[in-house]
Amino acid sequence: MRVLSGIQPSGRLHVGNYFGAMRQHLQLQAEHDCFYFIADYHALTSNPSPDDVVAHTLDVVMDYIALGLDTRKTIFWRQSDVPEVTELTWLLSCVTPVGLLQRCTSYKDKVSQGLSPNHGLFAYPVLQAADILLYNSELVPVGADQKQHIEVTRDIAIRFNNTYGEILTLPKEHIIESVAVVPGVDGRKMSKSYGNTIEIFEPEKSVKKKIMKIVTDSTPVENPKDPDKCNIFALLKLVASPEELAEWEDKYRTGGMGYGQAKKRLCELMTDYFEPFRQKRTELEHNIDHVKQVLANGAERARAVARETLEKARQAAGLRK
Ligand code: ADP
Ligand code: TRP
């Protein structure tokens, strides 16, 4: 099956990104024909500095490769290296009712968080639809927050096909639900925009500092505690073995355990979990040329597919001699 997903280059990736999305992206590689890209055109909708776009793109690429992206099998590229996607965006825009975009909640959410209400941000779902449709994607693994964008993509594809003939493949969404929302160190959803993240490749010392500051309630050491209401436990769930997790659950419910103890173990487990990938990450940092080569190869392979779909869409819409 053709699987496609994109991730915005908005900084170093965090543990929430890993358990909420990347891990599943990496697992899908074994059985499917995967297309993954760095959505740098999308990132421009929040007006980052040009230097940040460059640095963050490389960071995300290195994180993915270090964690196990198979660069020979999976097609991995930078969205803007295949500018055909912007042309398809235009063709799709011309069959997209404004009302459909007005119903998208992410625009309103982002504007209420302080992003500029620019046209790119409003048209963001059309560019996302073009990403998906350009590569004939069948399955799009995304977090629940992206469900509406996949529905919009299907809607736009149906309208295009009704107008011009059966050109575009309708994708199915594949909501990643295996992990609930990963909490950040302040208890809210872990997110770059809340500054409450633990980065995947953060130095051990700094991970420790953050984990030690995780907010807990004031239940005395000797009293029983509810693991389901504890942020430390929610993070332990991601990195502890089932046996060890069961032991911690027991300690919580029995009482006599201090949160400091659980935090200490969480630090160890969290750093151990990503330890096997650290060396690879460091090697990549010292070999940026290789990283750029991976992107260049990916772009070439992606572009071949993109050109074919775009050409069909152009012809169908009357952009022909
Ligand atoms: P952020 O909120 O840090 O800006 P993004 O919105 O760029 O993260 O998310 C990239 C991917 O990671 C999405 O598929 C999203 O569903 C997933 N993700 C982000 N934060 C979390 C979280 N705290 N828990 C689970 N999944 C998450
Ligand atoms: N909007 C997605 C996000 O913020 C990123 C994205 C862009 C995407 N284009 C895509 C995801 C195409 C899946 C398919 O997470």
Side-chain angles (χ1 to χ4, degrees):
M1 188 115 59
R2 172 74 50 89
V3 175
L4 174 137
S5 198
I7 182 144
Q8 289 199 56
S10 36
R12 287 184 158 234
L13 297 174
H14 56 74
V15 168
N17 296 137
Y18 181 77
F19 290 102
M22 285 174 95
R23 186 172 59 169
Q24 290 81 349
H25 291 167
L26 296 168
Q27 282 166 349
L28 286 163
Q29 295 182 111
E31 284 180 27
H32 299 283
D33 174 24
C34 294
F35 279 55
Y36 297 139
F37 65 95
I38 314 296
D40 57 350
Y41 280 140
H42 277 107
L44 296 190
T45 58
S46 55
N47 309 126
S49 84
D51 287 343
D52 277 354
V53 176
V54 175
H56 292 166
T57 298
L58 288 175
D59 272 330
V60 173
V61 174
M62 289 190 280
D63 285 350
Y64 261 90
I65 301 176
L67 289 162
L69 186 111
D70 181 346
T71 53
R72 268 172 301 182
K73 184 165 183 272
T74 293
I75 300 191
F76 188 47
W77 76 102
R78 190 171 65 147
Q79 186 185 30
S80 63
D81 281 337
V82 187
E84 281 81 355
V85 74
T86 60
E87 189 172 348
L88 185 62
T89 301
W90 183 252
L91 299 184
L92 299 179
S93 287
C94 296
V95 296
T96 304
V98 170
L100 185 65
L101 300 180
Q102 279 168 334
R103 285 194 292 279
C104 288
T105 54
S106 73
Y107 175 75
K108 283 169 252 168
D109 290 350
K110 287 179 180 173
V111 171
S112 72
Q113 280 167 26
L115 289 193
S116 111
N118 60 62
H119 174 255
L121 196 62
F122 182 69
Y124 183 116
V126 191
L127 177 58
Q128 183 160 350
D131 288 325
I132 296 169
L133 300 169
L134 190 58
Y135 301 100
N136 311 315
S137 317
E138 294 167 279
L139 207 66
V140 185
V142 285
D145 56 329
Q146 295 295 314
K147 190 175 162 61
Q148 191 178 33
H149 288 163
I150 313 301
E151 283 160 6
V152 166
T153 299
R154 289 175 56 87
D155 200 332
I156 294 175
I158 291 169
R159 284 169 193 273
F160 190 91
N161 286 349
N162 283 347
T163 313
Y164 298 120
E166 292 296 312
I167 306 284
L168 303 172
T169 307
L170 260 58
K172 284 198 249 323
E173 84 221 34
H174 174 78
I175 301 293
I176 299 172
E177 282 180 306
S178 54
V179 170
V181 170
V182 176
V185 290
D186 60 357
R188 291 187 290 172
K189 172 193 155 178
M190 188 179 286
S191 170
K192 274 160 285 199
S193 37
Y194 296 149
N196 63 356
T197 62
I198 299 171
E199 288 165 15
I200 297 171
F201 291 112
E202 188 153 341
E204 195 173 342
K205 234 172 139 183
S206 140
V207 171
K208 199 163 178 184
K209 223 163 129 189
K210 287 184 175 174
I211 290 184
M212 285 315 194
K213 281 198 209 139
I214 290 180
V215 186
T216 50
D217 61 25
S218 53
T219 318
V221 173
E222 58 279 13
N223 290 20
K225 300 171 182 64
D226 184 352
D228 298 328
K229 293 206 177 104
C230 177
N231 296 325
I232 310 166
F233 192 80
L235 293 169
L236 273 173
K237 264 191 194 165
L238 304 170
V239 288
S241 66
E243 302 76 36
E244 180 167 353
L245 193 70
E247 283 171 28
W248 281 106
E249 180 161 8
D250 198 48
K251 285 186 203 166
Y252 267 79
R253 297 200 192 280
T254 317
M257 177 214 74
Y259 286 123
Q261 218 183 320
K263 285 181 178 178
K264 205 162 155 270
R265 184 64 183 139
L266 176 61
C267 289
E268 290 167 2
L269 288 170
M270 192 63 89
T271 32
D272 286 356
Y273 193 93
F274 294 110
E275 192 53 41
F277 311 109
R278 268 179 205 274
Q279 195 191 338
K280 177 85 182 164
R281 181 66 167 80
T282 311
E283 277 167 28
L284 292 166
E285 277 162 35
H286 291 106
N287 198 354
I288 295 293
D289 285 346
H290 167 72
V291 176
K292 290 186 176 167
Q293 193 55 47
V294 167
L295 287 183
N297 289 345
E300 202 180 313
R301 292 159 75 196
R303 208 163 187 187
V305 181
R307 285 205 169 123
E308 226 175 275
T309 314
L310 180 63
E311 196 44 39
K312 279 191 213 151
R314 283 176 57 108
Q315 295 280 334
L319 303 180
R320 58 179 181 234
K321 302 213 171 72

